[in-house]
Amino acid sequence: MVYISIPTLESKKVPQSYQYIRKEGELRYFKYRCYDYETIICIDSNGLVVDYPNTL
């Protein structure tokens, strides 16, 4: 992923990873990591995130 700072437009490569955890019905769960942040996200059968805990 690339982060672009506004208004300077400076870009920075941001390391992140997704690890498959399990499938429950039509939902798939992945462990997401970026720097010191880690959470479990839930994806529906269309590939859309349906649950992304600890976000505003």
Side-chain angles (χ1 to χ4, degrees):
M1 174 181 183
V2 175
Y3 172 80
I4 300 175
S5 177
I6 303 295
T8 65
L9 299 180
E10 179 182 344
S11 63
K12 178 181 177 183
K13 187 174 181 179
V14 178
Q16 55 183 290
S17 66
Y18 298 86
Q19 178 184 3
Y20 177 76
I21 304 293
R22 69 183 181 277
K23 182 175 181 181
E24 291 181 13
E26 295 297 314
L27 301 176
R28 293 172 287 154
Y29 293 83
F30 294 83
K31 181 184 284 185
Y32 169 75
R33 291 183 184 170
C34 183
Y35 293 115
D36 61 347
Y37 178 75
E38 183 176 301
T39 193
I40 303 295
I41 59 173
C42 180
I43 309 295
D44 70 11
S45 61
N46 294 311
L48 300 173
V49 176
V50 295
D51 186 22
Y52 202 124
N54 301 322
T55 59
L56 298 174

